[in-house]
């Protein structure tokens, strides 16, 4: 490996390390990898192709991983426009019993990309409704619970999330109800039931 290749790898590695090992073809190009060298690294197994234009350094596949590593991939897939939300966000925050079969993301209105692994919700999120994690963003516990209530998820899932969030002190009753009010009557009703259930 020449000095130029070593420099490109070091640059791309720094980018990928902040994204759980994932990176895009565009990021590789910016780091100094030509399209030809990108193809070579994929064929040699140095990079694993995850999706169209998205790769992961093979070393990260061998490292101990967190359950949410794969969420960084969807941040890249959406070109930084998606936020992990709804039941997937509850799972990220370890609130309640949510275990969705597909990944829930909130995307801006007009977002047109689709993938069978995803459930996409269109909404405009405020900055105070989003938390930054390594490689991806996720809705806050308050927003996550309120949007699940608005989406009419199973009441038992909502009850368990509210009970744990209150017990851990990550939300307050007032903030939960205020967030539900902003999302409309179905959310208010479900949150009210969950708060009464929590005692």
């Amino acid at each position: 490996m020449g000095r130029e290749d070593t420099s490109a790898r070091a640059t791309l590695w720094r980018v990928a390390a902040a994204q759980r090992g994932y990176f895009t073809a565009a990021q590789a190009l910016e780091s100094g990898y030509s399209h030809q060298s990108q193809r070579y690294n994929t064929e040699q197994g140095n990079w694993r192709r995850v999706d169209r234009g998205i790769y992961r350094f093979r070393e990260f596949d061998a490292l101990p991983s967190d359950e949410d590593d794969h969420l960084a991939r969807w941040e890249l897939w959406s070109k930084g426009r998606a936020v992990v939300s709804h039941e997937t966000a509850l799972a990220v925050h370890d609130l309640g019993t949510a275990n969705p079969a597909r990944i829930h993301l909130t995307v801006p209105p007009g977002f047109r990309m689709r993938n069978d692994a995803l459930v996409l919700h269109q909404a405009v999120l405020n900055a105070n409704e989003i938390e930054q994690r390594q490689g991806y963003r996720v809705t806050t516990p308050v927003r996550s619970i309120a949007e699940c209530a608005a989406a009419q998820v199973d009441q038992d899932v909502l009850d368990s999330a509210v009970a744990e969030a209150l017990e851990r002190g990550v939300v307050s009753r007032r903030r939960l109800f205020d967030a539900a009010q902003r999302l409309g009557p179905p959310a208010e009703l479900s949150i009210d039931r969950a708060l009464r259930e929590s005692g």
Side-chain angles (χ1 to χ4, degrees), residues 1 4-34 37-39 41-42 46-48 53-60 76:
M1 183 182 283
E4 188 175 317
D5 290 338
T6 304
S7 173
R9 179 179 166 80
T11 301
L12 185 58
W13 184 271
R14 283 193 295 273
V15 171
Q19 300 169 165
R20 312 285 182 109
Y22 297 97
F23 58 91
T24 65
Q27 289 172 331
L29 195 62
E30 289 169 13
S31 298
Y33 285 94
S34 67
S37 63
Q38 291 184 37
R39 195 160 45 249
N41 276 283
T42 306
N46 299 326
W47 303 352
R48 177 170 62 85
I54 300 177
Y55 303 90
R56 196 181 199 204
F57 277 114
R58 69 177 179 189
E59 290 88 346
F60 280 84
L76 295 175

Side-chain angles (χ1 to χ4, degrees), residues 82-127:
V83 179
V84 174
S85 63
H86 293 76
E87 292 155 276
T88 307
L90 292 184
V92 167
H93 293 300
D94 196 22
L95 292 174
T97 58
N99 185 26
R102 293 194 291 165
I103 296 161
H104 290 255
L105 301 176
T106 293
V107 295
F111 186 90
R112 301 202 181 285
M113 298 169 69
R114 295 288 179 269
N115 189 292
D116 290 342
L118 307 173
V119 178
L120 299 179
H121 308 268
Q122 293 198 355
V124 176
L125 296 171
N126 297 321

